[in-house]
């Protein structure tokens, strides 16, 4: 086993590809592309998390827990509360309204009890986040899956056995979830653990050497599994048929390996592209947090251009059918560029950075 692989640029590059695919998927640019992306783009992040796990954490749980709290729990609570407090303001601005929403689910003004209930869920359950933070289910899942993953390793359960156990639990919970358990840890969390274990196995047993040796064949097989999966056992982590769970897992890992391998090839050959995509990969939380709100910029342009009622601004995440008429390109660009450029610019304005200079 090789447990000393260091974090490299290809990880940031792969994360960059993953977060760009997430934004692209949220534009609903066309049906089949959406299906393919959703077969692997979020499992990719769990795969990379397992790949990057450091063995030294097993001897220091306190340090591991602190990192999970600071990198996942704190951002969730911070931005969850900020967006919660802005709910009624957003409602008056038609970013939310009682006419349009997501799949028929519209919004209403919040009262005091609504705010208290939502705040409780954000603090204690890592849930109840606002529609504009819809992607935050990923942070919830990563937080709880990380500790289950750690537990499996700490108990010295063989990684292959941990994959099988977590996959079976995932199937059971997709088939018939347990409400109390699902608040914190449900089917998608155990599926995430399986993906993390797969990434850990990929690193620990140096599977990348096998991939390098048979690169063309591996890429072909991974692409085939991904395409077949998008047709015959399509699924999404937050909405999965229990019968699709296991084949979905194999397609998701195939897609993750495919992207990771292509990332390594790109990093080695194209420095400028590597730097750009890696920068995007290092802004995943920022893009996850802001891209839906940034989409509203494009929606405003569409409303002005076509003379639509302002209420259409609350259509989520994009305005149909204009997204498939080419506007998805602008949604995609704005959804990535504004959060990345905005956070870089704000960081430069930080007084601490000025003092250091």
């Amino acid at each position: 086993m090789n447990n000393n692989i260091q974090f490299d640029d290809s990880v940031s590059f792969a994360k960059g590809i993953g977060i760009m695919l997430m934004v692209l998927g949220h534009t609903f640019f066309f049906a089949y592309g959406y299906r393919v992306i959703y077969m692997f783009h979020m499992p990719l992040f769990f795969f990379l998390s397992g790949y990057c796990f450091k063995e030294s954490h097993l001897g220091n749980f306190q340090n591991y827990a602190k990192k999970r709290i600071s990198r996942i729990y704190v951002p969730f609570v911070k931005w969850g509360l900020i967006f919660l407090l802005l709910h009624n303001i957003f409602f008056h601005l038609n970013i939310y309204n009682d006419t349009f929403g997501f799949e028929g689910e519209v919004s209403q003004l919040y009262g005091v009890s609504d705010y208290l209930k939502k705040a409780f869920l954000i603090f204690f359950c890592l849930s109840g986040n606002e529609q504009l933070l819809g992607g935050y289910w990923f942070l919830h899942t990563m937080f709880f899956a990380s500790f289950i993953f750690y537990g499996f390793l700490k108990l010295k359960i063989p990684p292959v056995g941990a994959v099988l156990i977590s996959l079976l639990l995932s199937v059971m919970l997709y088939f018939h979830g347990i409400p109390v358990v699902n608040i914190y840890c449900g089917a998608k969390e155990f599926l995430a653990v399986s993906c993390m274990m797969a990434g850990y196995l990929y690193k620990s047993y140096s599977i990348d050497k096998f991939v390098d040796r048979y690169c063309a064949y591996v890429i072909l097989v991974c692409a085939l599994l991904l395409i077949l999966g998008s047709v015959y056992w399509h699924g999404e982590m937050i909405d999965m048929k229990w019968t699709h769970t296991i084949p979905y897992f194999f397609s998701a890992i195939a897609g993750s390996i495919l992207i990771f391998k292509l990332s390594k090839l790109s990093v080695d050959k194209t420095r400028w592209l590597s730097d750009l995509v890696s920068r995007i990969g290092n802004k995943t939380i920022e893009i996850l947090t802001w891209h839906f709100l940034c989409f509203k910029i494009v929606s405003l342009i569409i409303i002005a251009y076509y003379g639509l009622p302002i209420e259409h601004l609350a259509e989520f995440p994009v305005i149909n059918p204009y997204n498939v008429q080419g506007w998805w390109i602008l949604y995609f660009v704005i959804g990535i560029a504004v959060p990345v450029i905005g956070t870089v610019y704000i960081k430069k304005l930080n007084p601490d950075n000025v003092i250091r200079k």
Side-chain angles (χ1 to χ4, degrees), residues 1 10-11 18 33 38 56 68 122 150 199 228-229 235 241-242 249 270 290 300 303-304:
M1 293 176 64
S10 59
V11 173
Y38 272 72
S56 58
R68 297 295 92 186
I122 289 168
Y150 184 94
L228 288 174
K241 291 182 180 179
W242 70 274
F249 167 78
T270 52
W290 294 105
L300 277 172
I303 288 168

Side-chain angles (χ1 to χ4, degrees), residues 56-320:
S56 58
H57 287 315
L58 291 175
N60 193 340
F61 174 75
Q62 185 177 7
N63 185 55
Y64 180 78
K66 283 181 178 178
K67 287 185 176 181
R68 297 295 92 186
I69 291 169
S70 64
R71 295 176 182 178
I72 303 175
Y73 178 83
V74 171
F76 188 104
V77 172
K78 172 186 173 182
W79 293 112
L81 290 176
I82 289 173
F83 275 70
L84 173 63
L85 292 173
L86 291 171
H87 176 90
N88 283 358
I89 295 174
F90 285 154
F91 189 91
H92 289 299
L93 293 173
N94 273 299
I95 291 173
Y96 300 135
N97 61 39
D98 55 7
T99 304
F100 293 100
F102 179 61
E103 296 183 346
E105 185 177 339
V106 299
S107 298
Q108 303 292 335
L109 286 169
Y110 285 168
V112 174
S113 62
D114 297 309
Y115 278 113
L116 292 175
K117 186 185 298 183
K118 290 273 188 176
F120 177 87
L121 290 172
I122 289 168
F123 265 115
F124 298 105
C125 305
L126 287 186
S127 62
N129 47 282
E130 290 291 288
Q131 187 182 77
L132 286 172
L133 294 178
Y136 267 32
W137 69 264
F138 166 77
L139 295 184
H140 171 107
T141 297
M142 178 64 85
F143 185 76
F144 291 106
S146 294
F147 288 103
I148 299 170
F149 169 79
Y150 184 94
F152 277 133
L153 294 180
K154 191 69 174 177
L155 293 172
K156 297 183 178 180
I157 296 174
V160 174
V163 169
L164 293 175
I165 292 170
S166 52
L167 262 182
L168 289 174
L169 287 170
S170 181
V171 171
M172 291 170 59
L173 290 169
Y174 275 124
F175 176 69
H176 187 68
I178 304 172
V180 175
V181 174
N182 280 345
I183 293 173
Y184 297 102
C185 186
K188 66 183 185 302
E189 281 71 39
F190 282 107
L191 181 55
V193 173
S194 300
C195 295
M196 293 174 75
M197 277 295 174
Y200 178 79
L201 279 167
Y202 188 87
K203 175 194 71 172
S204 300
Y205 292 93
S206 301
I207 297 174
D208 55 336
K209 292 181 180 179
F210 173 84
V211 173
D212 290 340
R213 186 174 180 181
Y214 300 100
C215 182
Y217 297 107
V218 170
I219 288 176
L220 182 62
V221 171
C222 287
L224 184 61
L225 273 172
L226 199 54
I227 293 169
L228 288 174
S230 67
V231 175
Y232 296 107
W233 51 83
H234 176 258
E236 302 174 20
M237 291 189 74
I238 58 175
D239 184 22
M240 180 84 67
K241 291 182 180 179
W242 70 274
T243 53
H244 288 185
T245 307
I246 293 176
Y248 174 91
F249 167 78
F250 286 106
S251 287
I253 298 307
S256 299
I257 291 173
L258 178 63
I259 294 298
F260 197 29
K261 181 57 186 175
L262 293 177
S263 298
K264 284 182 175 290
L265 293 174
S266 299
V267 165
D268 292 338
K269 295 181 179 180
T270 52
R271 190 73 255 171
W272 68 269
L273 181 62
S274 171
D275 290 342
L276 175 62
V277 178
S278 294
R279 283 177 181 271
I280 293 172
N282 290 327
K283 298 292 182 183
T284 53
I285 293 291
E286 290 83 354
I287 294 172
L288 186 68
T289 301
W290 294 105
H291 77 285
F292 281 136
L293 185 58
C294 291
F295 277 4
K296 301 301 181 182
I297 298 171
V298 184
S299 294
L300 277 172
I301 295 171
I302 293 172
I303 288 168
Y305 185 80
Y306 293 101
L308 302 176
I310 190 62
E311 286 78 14
H312 282 275
L313 185 60
E315 283 197 53
F316 185 87
V318 294
I319 299 180
N320 287 309

Side-chain angles (χ1 to χ4, degrees), residues 347-357:
K347 187 175 181 180
K348 286 182 178 180
L349 292 178
N350 190 314
D352 292 338
N353 291 332
V354 175
I355 291 170
R356 290 192 197 102
K357 289 181 180 179

